[in-house]
Amino acid sequence: MLAEMARKLGEIGYLGAPVSERYGGRGLDYVSYALIVEQVGRGCSSARTVVSVQTSLVAGSIERWGSEEQKQRWLPRLCSGEAFGCFGLTEPDTGSDAANLRTRAERTATGWRLNGQKMWISLGNVAEVALVFAQTDPEREHRGLACFLVPTASEGFSSTEIHGKLGLRSADTASLAFDDLELPEDALLGEVGDGFKIAMSALDNGRYSVAAGCVGICAGCVDASVSYATERRQFGVPIARFQLVQAMIAEMIVKRDAARLLVLRAGALKDAGKPNTVETSIAKLYATEASVECADAAIQVHGGSGYVDDHPVERYLRDARVTTLYEGTSQIQKLIIGRDATGIDAILPYAKEESA
Ligand SMILES: Cc1cc2nc3c(=O)[nH]c(=O)nc-3n(C[C@H](O)[C@H](O)[C@H](O)COP(=O)(O)OP(=O)(O)OC[C@H]3O[C@@H](n4cnc5c(N)ncnc54)[C@H](O)[C@@H]3O)c2cc1C
């Protein structure tokens, strides 16, 4: 079913929309991409996850950092939805501290040998190619990281489905293991030492996509709440007649519009080729938190009916909840914004103090 959905998304050009037409994408700008992601996110965050991971994290990284041969090999099939890709950064012991990876890549006579594990990897059970970030030289810390394009059919690759998620129930989530997995030299994306830069540039795009999807959740909450409040009657009138109900809807509308404008600001900077890491973090922080607040308020507008799946609002809340966690938690986004404002890096406080 996931494969069928991916092919349909590919057919209508929703996968790889900003990827060049030369490689099977649509060559759209980032503002247009956000409008697509918003609409998919409004309908279904699990489908939006496919669009975001496939486009922003995987295809975007290959287009930006890959050799011509790597682009030709993977991008057309990722953009058409014939193949899934996944993005393997997080590990069981390494989440927010993404530079501190334990997965090891060792040089061999013919290329590389990979050993380690990844955790919480979206599309990890269905992907044909996994972007895997690994340490090549622990002494070099984040400067030793490298990124590999790993065909999941390789011997030594295994994946396990993660069950019991609060939301995103029709999206696939996996843990991955690499057991003496042999890779040829040309599996390396970029250069040895580029891994951290590749991960951060991918997250700049991934966070933008998540934020746009959350605008869609906010919009869905507004629409569902207006529709319910104008139909549901209490005390002989539609509940929309009550000022306290209108206040909940008005607050959702303000959050939806503020989130959308922050996303579009980040998109305009991306389209102009200007730095946008901080503006993307601001959009991601605001839009994700807004989506949780809007979904919570939308359930309130629906009363008891909002607590069951007759209406989309309980799913909006379950799906929104993960967005403040992945691609950098809200705390990490605040520290990126605070670092830019103060010049002080509070993400790595001890390292700073020691070197001061
Ligand atoms: C459904 C789902 C899908 C995902 N998909 C992917 C994927 O496709 N690819 C991938 O690589 N990862 C993926 N992730 C992983 C996700 O990116 C991580 O869960 C996230 O980065 C947080 O890492 P963690 O869970 O290890 O939490 P931790 O880093 O352990 O954080 C726990 C808490 O401590 C706080 N914290 C940590 N460090 C600091 C600090 N310096 N200052 C202040 N607070 C701090 C955090 O904000 C958080 O509140 C996914 C996760 C989920 C749940």
Side-chain angles (χ1 to χ4, degrees):
M1 205 174 125
L2 206 56
E4 197 186 323
M5 181 176 72
R7 267 192 297 275
K8 282 187 181 157
L9 287 168
E11 263 167 37
I12 56 176
Y14 281 14
L15 296 176
V19 171
S20 160
E21 286 174 291
R22 196 169 155 214
Y23 301 114
R26 300 288 164 136
L28 293 182
D29 58 30
Y30 276 92
V31 166
S32 307
Y33 174 52
L35 300 178
I36 289 174
V37 178
E38 177 185 328
Q39 289 311 316
V40 179
R42 189 186 176 290
C44 172
S45 290
S46 293
R48 199 273 307 153
T49 299
V50 173
V51 175
S52 295
V53 171
Q54 190 92 336
T55 306
S56 290
L57 295 178
V58 181
S61 298
I62 296 173
E63 187 177 35
R64 185 162 186 188
W65 296 91
S67 64
E68 186 58 30
E69 197 192 337
Q70 289 169 333
K71 292 182 205 182
Q72 298 282 0
R73 177 171 178 195
W74 294 112
L75 290 177
R77 300 182 66 241
L78 291 169
C79 292
S80 66
E82 281 167 78
F84 284 111
C86 68
F87 180 82
L89 181 64
T90 308
E91 300 180 350
D93 293 324
T94 302
S96 301
D97 188 9
N100 191 21
L101 298 181
R102 305 234 171 127
T103 298
R104 282 299 311 271
E106 290 166 283
R107 274 206 183 275
T108 62
T110 52
W112 297 89
R113 182 179 302 119
L114 214 54
N115 277 289
Q117 284 175 288
K118 297 288 170 183
M119 186 72 186
W120 305 118
I121 307 306
S122 304
L123 309 181
N125 295 297
V126 292
E128 221 175 278
V129 60
L131 257 69
V132 175
F133 295 85
Q135 179 57 267
T136 62
D137 180 356
E139 284 185 9
R140 297 192 66 216
E141 300 179 341
H142 72 278
R143 286 179 294 276
L145 295 181
C147 179
F148 298 91
L149 286 164
V150 179
T152 58
S154 308
E155 202 174 319
F157 180 97
S158 59
S159 70
T160 309
E161 189 172 349
I162 296 177
H163 292 283
K165 297 197 298 276
L166 175 67
L168 294 185
R169 292 204 179 149
S170 48
D172 174 66
T173 313
S175 60
L176 310 180
F178 322 113
D179 185 11
D180 283 337
L181 191 156
E182 302 282 342
L183 288 169
E185 188 59 51
D186 64 6
L188 184 68
L189 186 68
E191 305 289 331
V192 174
D194 281 347
F196 196 66
K197 282 187 274 180
I198 295 174
M200 292 305 117
S201 71
L203 289 174
D204 262 355
N205 286 333
R207 287 170 183 162
Y208 177 72
S209 193
V210 170
C214 287
V215 175
I217 296 177
C218 296
C221 291
V222 169
D223 295 348
S225 299
V226 168
S227 163
Y228 188 80
T230 49
E231 281 167 22
R232 170 75 175 169
R233 296 175 76 86
Q234 286 295 285
F235 300 93
V237 294
I239 59 169
R241 283 284 294 274
F242 302 122
Q243 292 176 353
L244 293 176
V245 171
Q246 283 206 12
M248 289 192 277
I249 293 172
E251 281 163 18
M252 279 182 232
I253 289 170
V254 172
K255 285 172 186 161
R256 176 200 64 193
D257 287 0
R260 186 181 281 140
L261 290 169
L262 287 173
V263 168
L264 296 180
R265 177 178 72 165
L269 289 169
K270 286 178 196 297
D271 286 333
K274 293 190 175 157
N276 59 80
T277 297
V278 176
E279 290 78 6
T280 300
S281 276
I282 294 171
K284 200 269 181 183
L285 172 63
Y286 187 83
T288 57
E289 295 284 350
S291 70
V292 175
E293 290 160 14
C294 285
D296 190 45
I299 291 177
Q300 197 68 19
V301 169
H302 284 69
S305 303
Y307 196 64
V308 292
D309 61 8
D310 295 347
H311 298 274
V313 291
E314 61 84 36
R315 178 170 53 83
Y316 285 144
L317 183 62
R318 289 187 291 100
D319 286 349
R321 193 60 194 83
V322 74
T323 64
T324 70
L325 299 172
Y326 62 19
E327 308 222 13
T329 63
S330 288
Q331 286 73 32
I332 295 298
Q333 306 311 323
K334 284 179 188 168
L335 295 177
I336 292 170
I337 298 162
R339 179 178 61 192
D340 179 68
T342 63
I344 297 171
D345 189 343
I347 300 177
L348 292 167
Y350 303 118
K352 271 280 165 196
E353 274 170 22
E354 274 164 22
S355 63

